[in-house]
Amino acid sequence: MRYLFAACLILWQCVACTAQAGAWLREKGTGFVSLSFGATQFSETTNALYIEYGLSDKTTVGLDVSTFTNALNVRNGFGNIFLRRAIGPTDQPHKWAYEIGFGGLWGNEMQLPTVKTAISWGRGFKIAERDGWVNMDAAYVYEPTLGEHITKLDATLGLNFGTITTGLLEVTLSSQNSETYGAFEPSVLIRPKESRFSIKVGAQVPFDEQEKAALKLGIWRSF
């Protein structure tokens, strides 16, 4: 069972920030869904589904599910149902939010429950009339059966190049006991005109073992 929990640490390193979430909450009655896929040269694959919906301008609920399949075709996964609330006014330059979630890990015919807490900070900015943003998420996932935990820090920097393309740089760092994994993910988000769909194309490069870099593809839709 401890192997399953350690596998989740690898999973989180492979699945970086899914979308521009964090401190920016959904407006009431609006939603967002994304699907992402990744693959390495060693036949390791990742899949992720992320959904969120605005219950109010200060409350967002959602679902986050990720799976990782290694070269031996062993699959592990993590799922989380969450509630995110704004901290303070939502119309200020600095945006804060906290998150509480419940879910579990699965793999090798085992399942473990998890509780997740997180806090997010974000701020928008302008560079040469181009809009951008920075967001940071700190998360703590606890598994009560084994008493294990994972800490995770994500950082996202985005800059709109125009009405169609946006550049993204995501960095993720995960730690469990003495094991630490990190990666950075440069990507481009393409928004076709008059479409609610966006396409994210990029790569994910681990801090260690760069040979395990993965190609990533994501599909986003707002509703």
Side-chain angles (χ1 to χ4, degrees):
M1 294 180 71
R2 290 183 182 276
Y3 167 79
L4 175 58
F5 200 77
C8 180
L9 182 60
I10 300 174
L11 170 66
W12 267 17
Q13 181 245 342
C14 295
V15 182
C17 313
T18 307
Q20 181 195 342
W24 278 270
L25 278 67
R26 293 289 153 186
E27 295 181 1
K28 181 179 179 180
T30 67
F32 172 86
V33 60
S34 74
L35 291 169
S36 64
F37 313 91
T40 72
Q41 63 176 328
F42 301 104
S43 300
E44 298 171 327
T45 61
T46 57
N47 300 275
L49 168 67
Y50 181 88
I51 303 172
E52 61 180 23
Y53 180 80
L55 288 182
S56 70
D57 290 341
K58 298 191 69 173
T59 303
T60 294
V61 295
L63 171 68
D64 186 3
V65 180
S66 304
T67 63
F68 169 70
T69 305
N70 65 19
L72 299 177
N73 202 34
V74 176
R75 177 174 295 182
N76 298 282
F78 172 78
N80 181 58
I81 298 173
F82 65 85
L83 179 144
R84 186 181 299 122
R85 284 276 298 173
I87 301 174
T90 59
D91 57 352
Q92 299 299 310
H94 292 275
K95 301 182 183 298
W96 292 88
Y98 70 88
E99 179 182 313
I100 299 174
F102 300 92
L105 315 174
W106 65 86
N108 294 330
E109 300 182 354
M110 301 183 200
Q111 295 83 37
L112 299 174
T114 58
V115 179
K116 178 184 176 182
T117 59
I119 188 168
S120 303
W121 167 83
R123 180 181 173 89
F125 61 84
K126 277 185 175 293
I127 296 180
E129 301 304 319
R130 293 177 177 174
D131 294 323
W133 74 91
V134 59
N135 187 86
M136 297 189 69
D137 299 284
Y140 180 90
V141 176
Y142 178 69
E143 195 289 304
T145 304
L146 301 177
E148 296 280 358
H149 70 273
I150 292 177
T151 56
K152 188 166 187 280
L153 179 65
D154 291 328
T156 304
L157 178 66
L159 183 64
N160 293 325
F161 298 143
T163 59
I164 297 178
T165 58
T166 297
L168 297 169
L169 177 61
E170 298 167 82
V171 179
T172 182
L173 185 66
S174 304
S175 177
Q176 188 247 339
N177 294 332
S178 60
E179 300 291 333
T180 301
Y181 295 91
F184 67 92
E185 181 179 330
S187 58
V188 175
L189 185 66
I190 304 170
R191 298 180 300 274
K193 291 184 177 180
E194 300 181 0
S195 174
R196 290 198 171 191
F197 286 94
S198 299
I199 300 173
K200 181 183 176 185
V201 181
Q204 190 174 64
V205 184
F207 295 160
D208 301 319
E209 299 180 302
Q210 285 82 15
E211 68 276 7
K212 290 188 177 182
L215 295 177
K216 301 293 291 291
L217 173 66
I219 302 174
W220 297 6
R221 188 183 188 279
S222 299
F223 59 90

